[in-house]
Amino acid sequence: MEQREILSLTASDGHPLSATVTRPDGTPRAQLIVGGATGVPQAFYRRFALFAAERGYQTWTVDFRGIGQSAPPTLRGFRMNYLDWARLDLAALVDRAAQEDGPRFLVGHSFGGHAFGLLPNAEEIQACYTFATGAGWRGWMPWHEQIKVWFLWNVVGPLLIRWKGCLAWKQLGMGENLPSDVFIQWRHWCRFPHYFFDDPQQQGMIKQAFQRVRVPMIAANAIDDLWATPSSRNAFMQGYVNADWRGIDLVPGEIGLRTIGHMGYFRKEAFPLWEQMLDWFESLASTSVVASESCSKA
């Protein structure tokens, strides 16, 4: 029987975080670190973690600061940098998983695919498989979704922040409330076709960080994902200039799913996607490259 343990982590700046490790029976074949999507609590990935544990993987999830069990009593006045979720919070989870034996793989969902390139300890990861990672620019979206997103950025979001002191997504039934600083930075970067790679204030620093990533990657995007279309994925993944990455366009009907969208990659019916991903990780774990990197950390 799988074992789930709630962990208390501390980011390098001292911020407390809530995390979970899901252990398989026996010795884990690898460590799976989940980088979640913007505003999505770690509980959303519980079914995936249990599924992976049945396949022998030890899986790690975390609530980023301001989200889920890592949120303060109120987000009004809560200050942070959107990049903290990668550079501090996910980095703390990677450090904890790196204390365990075996290869370490990153599973990204949307922002999780952004976060990998921002990690100060990205060298701890031997491969990455990400779903729904894209550039965020509404120009990559269908026209009807562009209209909705324009209203979110320019009307709904600012009004909610003024009223609630945060992006009160719960009021819209769209997920966890977001710190206002996250909304402001997210909206700003979504003005650019290549997201934060095009931001003059961030450009050099972020590009240099992404250049350090030199491991195999797969970026899978559903053709019915309106927020992260395959074109949006291609625009963003260009930032991983030294990684051996490959894009996969997912057609829901071809894998027995009616729809996937932006959140369906981790819903319970999406297990065929999980099987494909874990099969890929297993193929890598048997190669000399991943095995030697893992041994060098022992």
Side-chain angles (χ1 to χ4, degrees), residues 189-210:
W189 289 330
C190 285
R191 295 170 49 207
F192 303 113
H194 298 92
Y195 201 56
F196 47 43
F197 294 113
D198 290 345
D199 183 355
Q201 296 181 341
Q202 301 283 346
Q203 206 169 55
M205 178 176 56
I206 286 180
K207 286 185 176 180
Q208 289 175 10
F210 273 70

Side-chain angles (χ1 to χ4, degrees), residues 6 34 36 40 72 114 122 132 134 140 172 184 186 189 228 259 281 289 297:
I6 307 300
V34 178
V40 179
H114 301 171
W140 300 119
L172 306 178
I184 292 168
W186 190 16
W189 289 330
T259 183
F281 282 138
V289 173
K297 300 293 182 180

